[in-house]
Amino acid sequence: MNRLWLVVKSSIGKKELMALTGFCLILFLAVHLFGNLNIFRGTAAFNWYAETLHSLPAFVKIFEIGLLTIGAIHVFFATILVVQNLWARPHRYSWKRWEGGRSWGSWSMLVTGPYILLFVIFHLLQFTLIDKAGRPISTIVAERFQQPAWVAFYAISMVFVGLHISHGFWSGFQTLGVQNERRGELRSLGLLVSLLFGVTFGAIPIAVYGFKNLLQ
Ligand code: HEM
């Protein structure tokens, strides 16, 4: 308990917790993306995937509680670090030291992070927390993505998700002690991973809008 408190109290401990929870969230996104790709296989495959998941309510509950806890830890420590940096502002280099870099990427985290939090709240309200009234999930997704404004909102949000991952990925590895010489490689890998998530997730609303028979 004492050790955990020491980790939580130190700045580097907080960053390490953010890095670890960030990687768990990336893992969730990978699973979520993989599941959502069933949309491209058509209505039956997508509904089969969703219904199979929901036929395991205990598993889903544990998964959701775990995800919520990990997300809350990530957001909580991000907020604490931002506030601490604001307090430390009179010291000229404090912002530059944050996240171990001075790139525009570390600044962009301050915008993309809160935006993604808002996006997730909207997203849950639209797809998870709504009264489905017996309708299959394919109908709910198809209805949402018939509206150009929501397609645009989702496509833009995926750019934010990509930007957040692109910086979070390499800075997370750096926080966890990957050597400085590998910084270039990690940045490239982060860019690749973020493009993969951004483009593939972003393609879903656009495809559902463009190909009306995809989810019928
Ligand atoms: C265009 C891209 C996306 C589509 C089409 C999509 C679709 C969905 C659908 C249909 C559900 C409800 C599943 C069900 O209740 O059966 C869901 C849940 C969820 N989505 Fe997404 N999603 C997308 C992107 C994202 C992104 C980028 C994030 C995170 C940043 C995210 C986070 C979540 C979370 C946290 C849940 C709740 C999971 C649960 O309750 O187990 N989604 N999504």
Side-chain angles (χ1 to χ4, degrees):
M1 194 66 200
N2 235 352
R3 259 193 88 192
L4 184 68
W5 176 239
L6 283 178
V7 170
V8 168
K9 240 178 71 177
S10 74
S11 220
I12 183 71
K14 288 189 199 74
K15 286 180 189 171
E16 281 169 356
L17 279 172
M18 276 194 67
L20 287 173
T21 49
F23 285 127
C24 291
L25 293 172
I26 290 182
L27 206 65
F28 159 74
L29 272 190
V31 174
H32 193 40
L33 178 60
F34 199 66
N36 280 334
L37 285 180
N38 279 300
I39 290 177
F40 291 106
R41 295 173 58 217
T43 309
F46 184 47
N47 285 335
W48 171 84
Y49 158 74
E51 279 156 23
T52 308
L53 265 188
H54 288 289
S55 68
L56 307 163
F59 168 79
V60 172
K61 252 293 137 294
I62 293 169
F63 180 82
E64 284 176 348
I65 292 171
L67 188 61
L68 192 69
T69 310
I70 288 167
I73 293 174
H74 193 76
V75 173
F76 179 73
F77 286 114
T79 312
I80 301 256
L81 282 170
V82 169
V83 171
Q84 279 181 346
N85 274 287
L86 276 175
W87 275 336
R89 239 184 153 172
H91 304 285
R92 266 176 56 207
Y93 298 109
S94 55
W95 272 109
K96 292 179 177 176
R97 281 204 306 266
W98 196 65
E99 299 244 342
R102 59 177 80 178
S103 67
W104 76 276
S106 56
W107 285 89
S108 75
M109 300 304 261
L110 297 173
V111 177
T112 55
Y115 181 93
I116 292 170
L117 182 62
L118 287 179
F119 162 78
V120 170
I121 294 170
F122 263 110
H123 183 53
L124 294 182
L125 288 173
Q126 289 177 332
F127 288 151
T128 305
L129 302 172
I130 58 157
D131 176 11
K132 295 189 175 103
R135 290 174 305 159
I137 192 73
S138 60
T139 308
I140 293 162
V141 172
E143 275 175 14
R144 183 64 59 199
F145 295 150
Q146 290 320 313
Q147 302 169 45
W150 284 116
V151 174
F153 170 70
Y154 269 78
I156 292 166
S157 300
M158 294 313 115
V159 174
F160 278 74
V161 169
L163 280 174
H164 198 78
I165 294 176
S166 110
H167 181 75
F169 190 86
W170 75 263
S171 85
F173 272 113
Q174 209 180 31
T175 299
L176 294 179
V178 172
Q179 285 156 359
N180 237 355
E181 303 88 72
R182 310 205 67 179
R183 199 170 152 146
E185 289 166 42
L186 283 177
R187 272 185 185 238
S188 309
L189 192 63
L191 192 66
L192 197 75
V193 172
S194 62
L195 276 174
L196 189 82
F197 279 112
V199 172
T200 322
F201 263 129
I204 295 174
I206 295 170
V208 174
Y209 180 74
F211 301 97
K212 305 280 185 236
N213 56 353
L214 199 57
L215 287 184
Q216 261 178 2

